[in-house]
Amino acid sequence: MFLSGAIAFELGGSELCRGLPQESELTSTMLNIFFDPVDREVMAIREEVHKKNPRVKDDSVRHTPVRVYAVRYLDETMVVTSGSKMLTLEVRDRILSVFERDLEVKVDRFGSSVHSAASEKMEFLGMEFQAVPPSVLHPPMSEKAKRARKMYLKRKAAEAQELKNARETWRKKLGLKILNHLFKKVRRGHEFEFAFRIEDEVRQEFKGWAEETVVEYFKSQEHRRHWHRLFTSGDFLSLNRVRDQLPSTLVDSYDQLQETLDRFLMPRRGHDITEDEEMLAEEEDERQYENRIVEDLTELKMRVNAPIELVRKAVKLAGFTNSMGRPRPIKLLICLDDADIIKWYAGVGRRWLDFFCCCRNFKMVKIVVSYHLRFSCFLTLAEKHECTKRQAISHYTKDLKVTNENGVPEVYFPTEKEIKMMGDKNLSDPKPVDGALTMILVRLAVDDTSLPCLAHFCAGTDTALYRIRLLQNRLNVDPLNEKKWVQGLSAIHESLNKKCLPLCSIHASDLLLGKITLRDIDCTQFVDVV
């Protein structure tokens, strides 16, 4: 198919539409086939480097062998080495030779440079990669954070003690009620008969309670001091004139008893305990500091950051915020239904959250989605219904709930609790934000609904006509102009602007929410509407 010209790739960016959204669903499969020689060469390089630099099995020796790491997503490839610059240049030349020799691709060797991950930021899949010491990723707690943690632990211990006291008080009251009831029954001459014997079970239960009580009792310094004073006060065997007249075995037994009492019951002074705890804390801090210094000098870990400045520029370019960086309404969306407005905002927000969830500064992306997009949606709804923002928030709630045709409330925009729970522990395959920010669907008031849905593998005929409106036309911005357009932000080609397509309610909702893209729609069957 490649030789016949039926399939062709234009690597390095497409001026027509930047690869979106006309690329086929088979693009990833075809690219895997096309890049198979490159993948094989990378695997061969990794095997050769790993064989030449085996790992030392002795745990007492700190040894970091040279390694080669590689990852590819569609036509973007990143290769990282932990060796010298000469090794990195050799790896680059071998990979570029495969492109030129096997794939017959023209490579700009002058533009192919080698970067130091420790001193420079590398861009890959719209994210910033940089090798940093472990202390940058996991910085030590500040003194303020330590004090706050101690206060939290004290408050937590106090709450646990209060709960324990309340439970014991309730148990005591319940036990007194039971004993009072049994005492009254016995005084009236009532005899208790049991069909089975439960003495052993009751004895074991009380034995367990007694052991737990003793353990908890002797954890207290005051209780131990009290019992030690009772055991040791007034002992005449401590007098020398008495000890000399007694057998040595009795004196030795008494001394062993006293040693045991001192070991288990003799409480230490409060300042001694405080000094020991402070000494242990200082030793632990010193040990952690030493380990941190050694790790910073011997290890480097990759930090992945979202380009926050580009995200903010995209938010400003789309009109979510004004020149002061505050949320503002998007008047182009006023013509949509309330549910479609919320779905459009939800599609943009969820795609950003899913794409940047592995980033270290994901908290900043959360703020952009939770604040700028959410309140821009409130302002757009308020502008549509000619009401205030406070009235819109009270009607739709902070979770942007909207009722469907059956009167059931639905939530499309991610809630504040959902956004707070998102993080690097819930990773997923990256799905580029392709066109969700640059396209809206306007439903047309057309009665003819006999047209079939243009989504692939959908045979629904209960459809509605939607018109594609592109963001760059409203902004009068050329996506090919790098100075005015946001770098890395995809754009849909001008030829799709104002095109009409029939969609069923399910696929129209999925397209607004970003679950599907124009790749999942037959773009050759657009409808001409005057």
Side-chain angles (χ1 to χ4, degrees):
M1 296 180 71
F2 283 106
L3 294 177
S4 63
I7 296 177
F9 288 115
E10 185 174 353
L11 303 176
S14 172
E15 294 183 357
L16 177 64
C17 59
R18 298 193 180 183
L20 303 171
Q22 289 90 344
E23 62 184 6
S24 171
E25 283 289 341
L26 295 175
T27 301
S28 58
T29 304
M30 294 298 178
L31 279 172
N32 289 338
I33 296 173
F34 186 74
F35 280 91
D36 181 67
V38 180
D39 296 339
R40 292 179 181 274
E41 183 66 21
V42 171
M43 293 299 296
I45 293 172
R46 295 187 70 231
E47 291 179 0
E48 293 177 7
V49 174
H50 292 183
K51 286 182 180 179
K52 292 180 181 179
N53 302 273
R55 188 180 297 275
V56 178
K57 297 182 179 180
D58 190 1
D59 297 334
S60 61
V61 179
R62 182 177 293 274
H63 175 65
T64 305
V66 178
R67 290 291 181 262
V68 176
Y69 306 95
V71 60
R72 181 176 64 82
Y73 184 82
L74 295 180
D75 60 339
E76 294 192 34
T77 306
M78 182 174 67
V79 180
V80 181
T81 66
S82 60
S84 62
K85 186 175 182 180
M86 297 303 299
L87 174 64
T88 308
L89 292 173
E90 181 182 354
V91 172
R92 184 201 64 177
D93 294 339
R94 288 183 59 176
I95 295 175
L96 295 183
S97 63
V98 174
F99 274 102
E100 295 176 343
R101 183 183 66 253
D102 298 341
L103 303 182
E104 299 180 0
V105 175
K106 295 181 180 179
V107 179
D108 183 12
R109 287 186 172 269
F110 294 100
S112 301
S113 58
V114 176
H115 299 277
S116 173
S119 59
E120 298 175 292
K121 294 181 180 179
M122 301 178 296
E123 294 185 1
F124 181 68
L125 291 180
M127 305 178 194
E128 297 175 351
F129 289 76
Q130 188 174 7
V132 296
S135 61
V136 177
L137 296 180
H138 305 285
M141 294 180 63
S142 61
E143 294 298 329
K144 184 178 179 180
K146 290 180 180 179
R147 291 194 299 269
R149 181 172 179 80
K150 288 182 180 179
M151 293 177 61
Y152 167 74
L153 293 176
K154 288 182 180 179
R155 186 171 66 252
K156 188 176 180 181
E159 293 175 356
Q161 186 65 32
E162 291 178 0
L163 182 62
K164 179 184 176 182
N165 295 338
R167 191 183 297 113
E168 290 179 354
T169 303
W170 174 81
R171 186 183 296 174
K172 181 180 179 180
K173 290 181 180 180
L174 181 61
L176 290 175
K177 287 183 179 180
I178 295 174
L179 290 176
N180 189 20
H181 176 72
L182 294 176
F183 181 69
K184 289 180 180 180
K185 290 287 186 180
V186 171
R187 289 186 62 184
R188 294 174 184 175
H190 183 79
E191 296 181 0
F192 297 94
E193 296 180 359
F194 297 97
F196 55 92
R197 311 299 295 177
I198 61 172
E199 288 85 353
D200 295 336
E201 288 80 1
V202 173
R203 187 179 296 108
Q204 293 295 330
E205 188 69 22
F206 274 93
K207 183 179 179 182
W209 286 358
E211 291 177 353
E212 292 178 1
T213 304
V214 170
V215 172
E216 292 292 331
Y217 187 82
F218 282 103
K219 284 183 178 179
S220 174
Q221 297 288 337
E222 296 180 0
H223 295 159
R224 290 166 60 186
R225 187 181 295 108
H226 172 70
W227 281 99
H228 185 270
R229 185 169 60 251
L230 291 179
F231 278 123
T232 57
S233 61
D235 292 330
F236 65 93
L237 289 178
S238 59
L239 302 176
N240 293 329
R241 62 177 180 274
V242 177
R243 294 169 63 92
D244 296 339
Q245 300 176 12
L246 295 176
S248 60
T249 55
L250 178 60
V251 174
D252 295 340
S253 300
Y254 171 76
D255 293 339
Q256 291 179 2
L257 175 62
Q258 289 299 111
E259 291 178 1
T260 306
L261 289 175
D262 293 341
R263 185 168 65 253
F264 286 100
L265 297 179
M266 182 61 182
R268 292 181 297 174
R269 296 180 180 178
H271 63 85
D272 294 337
I273 299 173
T274 305
E275 290 178 359
D276 292 344
E277 292 178 353
E278 292 179 354
M279 187 178 299
L280 292 175
E282 290 179 0
E283 291 178 357
E284 182 66 19
D285 292 341
E286 290 179 359
R287 186 181 60 82
Q288 292 181 359
Y289 178 76
E290 291 175 359
N291 294 337
R292 190 161 58 246
I293 293 298
V294 172
E295 289 179 355
D296 288 348
L297 295 175
T298 58
E299 296 183 8
L300 287 176
K301 293 187 177 182
M302 194 65 70
R303 180 184 63 187
V304 183
N305 277 345
I308 294 298
E309 293 300 326
L310 296 183
V311 172
R312 289 174 177 169
K313 287 182 181 179
V315 168
K316 186 176 180 181
L317 177 68
F320 293 109
T321 59
N322 55 19
S323 58
M324 301 293 293
R326 297 176 180 175
R328 62 176 295 274
I330 299 179
K331 296 184 179 181
L332 182 64
L333 303 175
I334 294 178
C335 59
L336 303 181
D337 296 336
D338 293 352
D340 291 342
I341 293 175
I342 296 175
K343 288 177 183 178
W344 186 80
Y345 278 96
V348 177
R350 286 190 181 276
R351 288 196 178 193
W352 272 344
L353 293 173
D354 292 339
F355 187 72
F356 293 115
C357 65
C358 62
C359 295
R360 193 70 186 174
N361 56 348
F362 184 53
K363 184 178 180 180
M364 303 301 296
V365 182
K366 290 181 183 180
I367 294 175
V368 170
V369 174
S370 183
Y371 174 66
H372 294 91
L373 269 67
R374 189 187 302 275
F375 282 91
S376 176
C377 184
F378 282 128
L379 293 172
T380 302
L381 294 171
E383 184 82 11
K384 175 183 177 181
H385 297 285
E386 298 181 354
C387 63
T388 62
K389 181 183 70 173
R390 190 179 297 275
Q391 292 175 339
I393 294 175
S394 63
H395 179 74
Y396 296 99
T397 71
K398 280 194 174 182
D399 294 335
L400 288 169
K401 292 182 180 179
V402 62
T403 56
N404 57 12
E405 298 177 353
N406 300 325
V408 179
E410 295 180 347
V411 178
Y412 300 104
F413 198 91
T415 63
E416 292 182 348
K417 186 176 181 180
E418 277 185 78
I419 296 175
K420 189 177 295 184
M421 295 297 291
M422 291 181 180
D424 54 358
K425 294 183 180 180
N426 303 314
L427 299 182
S428 59
D429 291 337
K431 296 179 181 179
V433 188
D434 52 351
L437 186 63
T438 60
M439 180 192 72
I440 67 170
L441 292 177
V442 181
R443 184 171 180 175
L444 301 182
V446 179
D447 297 331
D448 187 10
T449 59
S450 60
L451 298 172
C453 179
L454 294 187
H456 293 317
F457 309 108
C458 180
T461 56
D462 187 10
T463 59
L465 278 177
Y466 292 86
R467 173 167 287 166
I468 298 175
R469 295 293 300 273
L470 298 183
L471 178 67
Q472 58 264 29
N473 286 10
R474 181 179 66 89
L475 300 173
N476 295 323
V477 177
D478 184 10
L480 298 180
N481 189 351
E482 296 292 344
K483 295 182 179 179
K484 295 184 178 181
W485 196 254
V486 180
Q487 182 182 3
L489 180 64
S490 59
I492 300 175
H493 191 250
E494 179 69 23
S495 61
L496 293 180
N497 188 39
K498 296 184 179 181
K499 293 293 183 180
C500 299
L501 66 160
L503 293 172
C504 62
S505 59
I506 297 176
H507 287 103
S509 176
D510 291 344
L511 189 59
L512 286 169
L513 290 172
K515 296 180 180 179
I516 63 174
T517 63
L518 291 180
R519 298 182 304 172
D520 305 300
I521 294 174
D522 188 1
C523 296
T524 62
Q525 301 295 326
F526 284 147
V527 180
D528 295 328
V529 178
V530 180

